[in-house]
Amino acid sequence: MFDLFADQPLLPTIWFAVVGFFWIGYIILDGFDLGVGMLMSRLFAKNEKERRLLLNTIGPVWDGNEVWLVTAGAATFAAFPLWYASLFSALYIPLTLTLLALIFRAVGIEYRGKKDSARWIAGWNLAISLGSLVIAFMIGALLALTSTGLPLNANGDRVGGAFAWVTPAVLMGGLAMVGLSLVMGLAFVALKTDGEIRHRARTLLLRLLPLLLLPVTGWVLYLQFTAGKALSWAFTVVAAIAAVGAWTLLKAGHEGKGFAALASFTVLGISAIFLALYPNVLPSTLNEAHHLTISSASSSDYTLTVMSWVAIFGVPILLIYQSWTYWVFRQRLTVDHIPTAHDVTDLARRISK
């Protein structure tokens, strides 16, 4: 089973695993707050107090969760520069859309409470929910493309026009990340709140869980049937067990254990995708000889060694800090914790007098 790693260089293999670790961390952590952002639409939240409650559940952690996206991109750039160059240069349009969505979502979270105006708040609510949807879809599309391949020539350059990246994998990966984010978001709301909204989130999650996990299940199975190995198939089977376990635990009212089971499903499922992809990092749909692999796309051993020492000290600090943050803000919230809205400009004016 582990013969998969026998003929591959050690340091590039380790950093392929590290990049996968950062992406998995991002999908779980920013995944649930993207899901919460999508839930701020009127399809789930019934009133403004509930929307403010949803925003307060992710308020202390959402910007820290995005560190995982930055770290995943930076680690890819430093450890596998050819992978980074080929993938990102081929995806200028979707990456620009993702960047705009990240900006509007962040500004929406920070600005929506600055003015007690229904029109102002509704506009920023739209920026948060729509921005979260676009981010999730585009990140899923990017990861699906790197696992299924792009039309690359011998130099690692994309062949075709500006929309050569538009393939069925884009839809599959985009829907997979959106569905997974909604699942994690609903599970987090059920875990982090109390009262009517908690029970509404758990009820909706139990109804939609099989449907929302269908795209990511299709993505994982596609990779297993086309490029799967014994180890990636083993991860896939255990991921399926975790998904069933999550539904069972949530039905029994164990939100914390259910959230952990969904996180386990994500870890195992995305790991199965990376294991099926290995030792490739970006396949070419034109010719197998043009595949970018961990050997052909990686930095020098010296660079990877220096990065390894930085990671040995940096990653534990990141994990300890974020774990502490979640522990400090672990209490459940209710709508009773949300104060009456007020206009901060009027308050500032009264204070200045």
Side-chain angles (χ1 to χ4, degrees):
M1 179 179 291
F2 294 97
D3 291 343
L4 172 65
F5 307 104
D7 298 327
Q8 301 300 327
L10 179 60
L11 281 175
T13 296
I14 291 174
W15 273 97
F16 181 77
V18 171
V19 169
F21 168 75
F22 286 137
W23 277 116
I24 290 171
Y26 173 76
I27 291 170
I28 294 174
L29 296 177
D30 207 37
F32 76 70
D33 68 50
L34 290 174
V36 172
M38 286 184 264
L39 293 174
M40 287 187 64
S41 68
R42 295 182 180 180
L43 296 176
F44 178 77
K46 291 185 176 181
N47 52 56
E48 177 57 21
K49 271 209 167 184
E50 287 194 350
R51 281 184 281 275
R52 290 173 63 195
L53 173 62
L54 291 176
L55 198 57
N56 273 265
T57 63
I58 62 172
V61 297
W62 71 270
D63 47 356
N65 292 341
E66 289 190 345
V67 169
W68 290 80
L69 176 62
V70 176
T71 308
T76 305
F77 171 77
F80 300 99
L82 292 182
W83 179 12
Y84 181 94
S86 296
L87 181 65
F88 281 64
S89 64
L91 302 176
Y92 282 130
I93 293 175
L95 287 172
T96 300
L97 293 174
T98 304
L99 181 60
L100 290 172
L102 284 165
I103 292 170
F104 275 101
R105 173 174 175 262
V107 173
I109 291 173
E110 297 293 342
Y111 275 35
R112 72 178 300 281
K114 301 301 183 185
K115 187 176 182 180
D116 187 17
S117 162
R119 184 175 181 181
W120 172 273
I121 293 171
W124 290 120
N125 284 341
L126 179 62
I128 295 169
S129 57
L130 186 60
S132 298
L133 175 65
V134 172
I135 294 165
F137 187 91
M138 290 302 177
I139 292 295
L142 180 148
L143 292 174
L145 285 171
T146 199
S147 64
T148 57
L150 285 166
L152 303 178
N153 61 22
N155 296 322
D157 299 324
R158 184 205 64 209
V159 176
F163 294 95
W165 54 273
V166 179
T167 67
V170 169
L171 181 61
M172 177 180 65
L175 292 177
M177 185 63 184
V178 169
L180 195 55
S181 296
L182 283 171
V183 164
M184 297 299 293
L186 286 167
F188 186 74
V189 171
L191 173 64
K192 198 68 174 60
T193 64
D194 209 350
E196 181 188 350
I197 196 169
R198 170 190 177 186
H199 300 295
R200 190 190 317 148
R202 183 159 62 88
T203 300
L204 188 60
L205 179 57
L206 288 170
R207 289 179 183 174
L208 298 180
L209 183 64
L211 178 63
L212 292 176
L213 291 185
L214 192 60
V216 70
T217 301
W219 180 12
V220 173
L221 290 177
Y222 173 80
L223 264 294
Q224 301 317 307
F225 282 113
T226 56
K229 293 95 174 173
L231 187 58
S232 63
W233 269 110
F235 273 65
T236 302
V237 172
V238 182
I241 296 172
V244 174
W247 191 90
T248 304
L249 289 165
L250 289 165
K251 187 173 177 61
H254 302 302
E255 287 101 342
K257 293 179 180 178
F259 184 87
L262 286 172
S264 298
F265 166 81
T266 305
V267 171
L268 293 162
I270 303 302
S271 295
I273 290 172
F274 273 88
L275 285 167
L277 177 63
Y278 181 86
N280 297 320
V281 294
L282 183 58
S284 170
T285 57
L286 300 178
N287 191 326
E288 290 186 3
H290 301 163
H291 289 349
L292 293 181
T293 67
I294 62 168
S295 298
S296 64
S298 68
S299 295
S300 67
D301 282 352
Y302 177 80
T303 300
L304 296 179
T305 300
V306 173
M307 290 175 60
S308 298
W309 281 108
V310 173
I312 286 172
F313 293 99
V315 172
I317 293 173
L318 171 64
L319 295 176
I320 291 170
Y321 171 75
Q322 286 213 295
S323 298
W324 177 81
T325 303
Y326 282 98
W327 176 256
V328 170
F329 296 101
R330 66 189 182 278
Q331 292 84 4
R332 288 183 182 269
L333 301 175
T334 70
V335 290
D336 295 331
H337 291 116
I338 307 302
T340 302
H342 58 273
D343 196 322
V344 295
T345 56
D346 291 340
L347 178 62
R349 194 179 299 115
R350 289 197 299 270
I351 292 174
S352 65
K353 292 180 179 179

